Amino acid sequence: MTTQPPPHPDHIFDRELITESLDRLANSYHPRTQPVPESPALMLPESLPEAGIGDGAALDTLAPVVLDASAQLHHPGYFAHMDPPTPAITWAASLWQVATNQNLLHPDAAPAARSLTERVVNWLAPSFGMSGGHFVPGSTIANLTALWAARQLKQVTRIAASDKSHLSIRKSAEILGLEYIALPTNSRHEVDISTLTQLDRTALVLTAGTVATGTIDPLIWPDETAWVHVDAAWTGPLRLTDRFASCLAGIEAADSVGFSAHKWLYQPKGSALVLFRNAKTAHDALSYGGGYLATPNIGLLGSTPAAAVPLAAMLLSWGRTGLVERIESDMGKADQLADLIKSDPRFLLWGPNQTGVVVWRPLNAEPSVVRSRLQNGWVSLTEVDGQTWFRSVAANPSADPSYLFDQVSAAL
Amino acid sequence: MTTQPPPHPDHIFDRELITESLDRLANSYHPRTQPVPESPALMLPESLPEAGIGDGAALDTLAPVVLDASAQLHHPGYFAHMDPPTPAITWAASLWQVATNQNLLHPDAAPAARSLTERVVNWLAPSFGMSGGHFVPGSTIANLTALWAARQLKQVTRIAASDKSHLSIRKSAEILGLEYIALPTNSRHEVDISTLTQLDRTALVLTAGTVATGTIDPLIWPDETAWVHVDAAWTGPLRLTDRFASCLAGIEAADSVGFSAHKWLYQPKGSALVLFRNAKTAHDALSYGGGYLATPNIGLLGSTPAAAVPLAAMLLSWGRTGLVERIESDMGKADQLADLIKSDPRFLLWGPNQTGVVVWRPLNAEPSVVRSRLQNGWVSLTEVDGQTWFRSVAANPSADPSYLFDQVSAAL
C-alpha cells in the first residue's frame, strides 16, 4: 500500500510567514495620531495580476492598506462606533479557526466545532430565558431569521417596530413580504405600542438599544401578540452583568432575541446569535434537508465558520466576572464622558447614559465641522430628531473620556 | 491638554500569546492517522464559567477540541467535501483582519478596507462578464441576494431551478414568498428548461456545479426570461483558468452570478461573492439608508467583516497563473482518481470528472460500511438517484488519489 504522501507546499506549516505578519502588525499597533486616517490611494494593480509576487511581497504590498490605513479601534481617542477592538485571545483563537477551517454545516467537516458551538450557545441562552439558537454573521441576519421563524410558525402578516428601530427590521419585512408598521416613540425614543391592532397577526420587534441613542423599549406587550422579537444587537451582553441585567428585564418572555457578539462581546466581525425561547420548534421550521447532508441545514446560511471558537476562548479566559468587569468599565467610561459634557456649558447632552451610547453636541458649532478638525480623537455622527449630533459609544476599553473630551473641546 | 493615555491591558500587543497559539497549531498540524477523528467529550463547563482561567489556560482547554479533534482538511487522505484547507497566506492576512476588525458597513470604521474590497470585486467580476457586486458570507446568501434583486427589479413571481439545484434555491423562494418550480434533469443531471412557461415572470437559476455530481447546466435560455442567476458556488473559480473557463461559457450573459471564495478559492469560511451584470441598478434596489450611515447599507448584511483581506493577499501572492496552476492541479487529481476507479472492476464511476467532483461506489459493498472502515482516508457520501455513492471532491491540494484509492480498496 502507498505510504502517506507529504503535504502540498502551500500546506506545510509556515511559521516564518505568520511571524512576519505578526511583526508587521506589532509595528502598526502603536496608537497613531489619527485613529481614522485618510484612505490611501490603492497601490494595487487595477486588474487581477497575472503573475504572483509571493507571500512576503503580498504582505508588503497590503500592509499600507490593511494595517497603516485602518481605523484604530483600540486608539485611546476612538470613542465612536459599536465596533470594539478585539482582545488578543480572539486573535490567538481565530488563527486556529482560520487554519482548521471547519464547516459547521456538516458533522464530517466539523466533528468537534459543532459541539463546541452548541456549548457556547447554551452558555449564553439562559441569561436571556431562551432555550437555544445558533450563530449568524450579524444582527441583521439574526433579526431576519427570527422574523422568518415568526412567519413560518405564527403566520404573521405584519412586522411592527418603533420608528427608531434598526433598518434591518424594514429590510426583513421587505424580504419576507410582510407589511411593515412603524410605531411612534416618545421624546426618550421609547416605543409606544398602545395603538397597535391585529396583534394576533403581528410580529412585534422591540429594540433594546437603538443605534442612535441606545434607548431600550419597554419590554412589555399584550399576551395576544403573535411573536415578540427583541433586537438587542448592541445591549444584549448587558444581560450577563450584575449591575445592568435588569435594564433588559422582560426579555425572558420574548419568543426570540438577537444580539451581536462582534459588538459588546468584543469578537471579530461576523459573529452574532439568534436565540429562541423554543429553539427546537424554531429550528424545525427553518430546516432544510439535502441528499449530501447528514443533518439538516438550519437557518439562513449553508456553510458556516466556527465563530464560537474565539468567543469560547474569550469567555473561558475572562469568565463571566471578567466580562462583566469590562462591560461595566465601558459603562463607567460612558458615565464619565456624560459628566464632562454636562459640566461644560459649551456642550449639550441628549440624555443620560443608559447603555453606553452618549449623544451630545456643541451648542455653537456644527458637529460635522468640529469633527473634521479632530486631531487625535474620533466620534461618530448621528441624526437625532432631524439634527446632527455626536455619538460616542463605549465599546473600546482603551478609550479615555477625558482625552477625547479635551480633543473635541480643542476642535471647537 | 491630557496627553495620550496608554491602551487597556487587553489591547497591548501580546506576541507571546499568539506565538503560543502558533506553537500549538504547529504541533497539531502534522497529518494524523484519521483525517476525521471522533468528536471528543467536551471537557468544558456546562454553564458559562463564573471565574476566568486566563488566556493561556483557555488555549490549553480548547486545543483538544479545536485542534486535535478537527477534521484535517489538508490530510493527504482527505478527498471529501467542498471545504479546502486554507493556505498560510490566508492565515497571515486573517490575523490582520481579526486584529484590525474593520467594519465594511461604514467608511469611518473601514477607511481602507472598503476600497480594497471594491478592488478585489473588480478583479474577479470581469471574468464572469459582471460589472460588480459585493462579498457575502456564503453562496446561500449570494443566491438569496441575487433572487431578492430579481424580485425587486423584475417583479418575478416564481423561481425555477433544476431538481438537482442546491437547497438554498428552495429556501430563497420560501423566504422571498415566491413560487418554486423544480425543473426536470436528464440522466447526466443537466436541467431541461423546455417545459418552462411564463418566462417573463420567472427567475431562472442555472446550477454550475451541482453538490452531488458537479454537473453544470447548459448556460443558455430564452431571451424573454425575466432574470437569470447562475449558482456557481463550487465551479465559479474555473472561470479564471485557461483550460476550464469554457465550461462556464454563457455565464457572461446572466443577470447575476454567485460563488464561494471559501470553496475553490481556498479562503477561510465566510467568504463568497454575489456579482451582477448591472451592479449599480442591483445595489440601488438593495440599498437601505439610516441616520447613522454615511453611505447606504447594500445587500442582506449590516456590519460585515473585510473578507477581501485574505483573498487579496492570496491573489497577489499567487497571481492568476498561480491560482490556475492550483485549480488545474486539483482537476488533475480528480482525473487520476477517476482513472483508478475506471480501471478497477470492483468499483463503478458515475460519470467522467467534469468539475473536480468524482462520484463512485464499490460494486459489491455498501458505501457507508466501507467508509466506516477507512483508516487513513476520507470520502463524503452522497445520494444520487436514490442510491448512496462516495463523493470525492478535489478541493485539497495535498490529497493523493492513489493513497486514497488504496485506503478505500483495503476497506472493501
Side-chain angles (χ1 to χ4, degrees), chain A residues 1 61-62 84 106-107 142 145 228 294 301 323 361 391 397-398 401 404:
Chain A
M1 182 183 284
T61 306
L62 285 175
H106 204 78
T145 306
V228 176
L301 269 78
L323 177 68
R361 63 191 314 276
R391 185 189 58 164
S398 297
L404 176 80

Side-chain angles (χ1 to χ4, degrees), chain A residues 99-285:
Chain A
T100 54
N101 202 25
Q102 308 291 284
N103 183 358
L104 292 186
L105 180 61
H106 204 78
D108 266 16
R114 285 167 60 103
S115 313
L116 176 66
T117 300
E118 202 182 329
R119 180 66 52 98
V120 173
V121 169
N122 290 341
W123 283 358
L124 296 170
S127 295
F128 298 87
M130 302 288 120
S131 67
H134 60 269
F135 276 80
V136 286
S139 285
T140 290
I141 301 290
N143 292 337
L144 175 56
T145 306
L147 293 166
W148 178 28
R151 199 194 63 181
Q152 299 305 99
L153 291 169
K154 298 291 178 172
Q155 291 78 47
V156 299
T157 56
R158 337 187 311 160
I159 296 172
S162 99
D163 57 18
K164 305 292 187 293
S165 69
H166 189 257
L167 61 89
S168 61
I169 310 302
R170 269 188 291 140
K171 196 196 285 191
S172 298
E174 183 169 296
I175 290 171
L176 294 166
L178 300 173
E179 187 190 354
Y180 175 71
I181 296 163
L183 299 167
T185 42
N186 65 20
S187 63
R188 295 185 307 282
H189 286 196
E190 296 162 342
V191 72
D192 170 10
I193 63 167
S194 63
T195 58
L196 190 59
T197 58
Q198 302 181 9
L199 289 162
D200 59 331
R201 287 194 254 158
T202 303
L204 173 64
V205 178
L206 298 173
T207 303
T210 60
V211 174
T213 62
T215 303
I216 299 179
D217 284 338
L219 300 182
I220 41 173
W221 54 85
D223 284 345
E224 57 270 34
T225 314
W227 189 279
V228 176
H229 173 66
V230 179
D231 173 8
W234 166 246
T235 62
L238 285 181
R239 197 67 193 158
L240 302 165
T241 69
D242 302 316
R243 276 184 62 197
F244 301 106
S246 61
C247 295
L248 295 167
I251 200 168
E252 65 283 359
D255 295 287
S256 54
V257 171
F259 65 92
S260 298
H262 59 214
K263 292 193 172 80
W264 223 344
L265 287 181
Y266 314 102
Q267 291 299 296
K269 286 273 155 288
S271 185
L273 288 106
V274 59
L275 302 174
F276 297 97
R277 199 172 45 183
N278 189 334
K280 180 163 181 348
T281 310
H283 282 180
D284 285 350

Side-chain angles (χ1 to χ4, degrees), chain A residues 13-23 25-26 88-89 91-93 95-96, chain B residues 13-28 55-56 59-60 67 91 95:
Chain A
F13 186 86
D14 189 346
R15 176 182 296 274
E16 206 179 319
L17 184 66
I18 312 300
T19 303
E20 188 183 328
S21 98
L22 199 57
D23 288 344
L25 185 55
I89 183 66
W91 310 1
L95 186 62
W96 291 2
Chain B
F13 186 86
D14 189 346
R15 175 182 297 275
E16 207 179 318
L17 183 67
I18 310 300
T19 303
E20 189 182 329
S21 98
L22 199 57
D23 288 344
R24 290 191 163 276
L25 184 55
N27 290 337
S28 77
D55 287 349
L59 293 186
D60 286 346
L67 297 176
W91 310 1
L95 186 61

Side-chain angles (χ1 to χ4, degrees), chain B residues 40-55:
Chain B
L42 285 179
M43 302 299 282
L44 295 171
E46 295 216 0
S47 54
L48 178 59
E50 272 296 299
I53 59 178
D55 287 349

Side-chain angles (χ1 to χ4, degrees), chain B residues 33-315:
Chain B
T33 308
Q34 293 271 20
V36 177
E38 293 284 311
S39 178
L42 285 179
M43 302 299 282
L44 295 171
E46 295 216 0
S47 54
L48 178 59
E50 272 296 299
I53 59 178
D55 287 349
L59 293 186
D60 286 346
T61 306
L62 284 175
V65 180
V66 177
L67 297 176
D68 306 339
S70 64
Q72 285 195 318
L73 311 184
H74 63 288
H75 190 290
Y78 191 81
F79 216 128
H81 293 281
M82 289 164 168
D83 300 305
T86 47
I89 182 67
T90 68
W91 310 1
S94 292
L95 186 61
W96 292 2
Q97 186 199 342
V98 166
T100 55
N101 202 24
Q102 308 290 284
N103 183 358
L104 293 185
L105 180 62
H106 203 80
D108 266 16
R114 286 167 61 101
S115 313
L116 175 67
T117 300
E118 201 183 332
R119 180 64 54 95
V120 173
V121 170
N122 290 340
W123 283 358
L124 297 170
S127 294
F128 299 86
M130 301 289 118
S131 67
H134 60 269
F135 276 80
V136 287
S139 284
T140 291
I141 302 290
N143 292 337
L144 175 56
T145 306
L147 293 166
W148 178 28
R151 199 193 64 183
Q152 299 305 99
L153 291 168
K154 299 288 177 173
Q155 289 79 48
V156 299
T157 56
R158 333 186 314 158
I159 296 173
S162 100
D163 56 19
K164 306 292 186 293
S165 68
H166 188 258
L167 63 87
S168 61
I169 310 302
R170 269 188 291 140
K171 196 196 286 191
S172 298
E174 183 169 297
I175 290 171
L176 293 167
L178 300 173
E179 187 190 353
Y180 175 71
I181 296 164
L183 299 168
T185 42
N186 64 21
S187 62
R188 296 185 307 281
H189 286 195
E190 296 163 344
V191 73
D192 170 9
I193 63 168
S194 63
T195 58
L196 191 59
T197 57
Q198 301 183 8
L199 289 162
D200 59 330
R201 285 193 256 159
T202 303
L204 173 63
V205 177
L206 297 172
T207 303
T210 60
V211 173
T213 63
T215 304
I216 299 180
D217 284 337
L219 301 182
I220 41 175
W221 55 86
D223 283 346
E224 56 270 34
T225 316
W227 188 279
V228 176
H229 173 66
V230 180
D231 173 9
W234 166 246
T235 62
L238 286 180
R239 197 67 193 158
L240 302 165
T241 69
D242 300 317
R243 276 184 64 196
F244 302 105
S246 61
C247 297
L248 294 168
I251 201 170
E252 65 282 1
D255 295 287
S256 53
V257 171
F259 66 92
S260 298
H262 59 215
K263 293 193 173 77
W264 225 345
L265 288 181
Y266 313 102
Q267 291 298 297
K269 286 274 153 289
S271 184
L273 288 104
V274 58
L275 302 174
F276 297 97
R277 198 170 48 183
N278 190 333
K280 180 165 182 343
T281 309
H283 282 180
D284 285 351
L286 309 179
S287 280
Y288 284 71
Y292 68 103
L293 291 174
T295 53
N297 171 211
I298 292 169
L300 228 82
L301 269 79
S303 297
T304 314
V309 169
L311 182 52
M314 188 194 79
L315 291 174

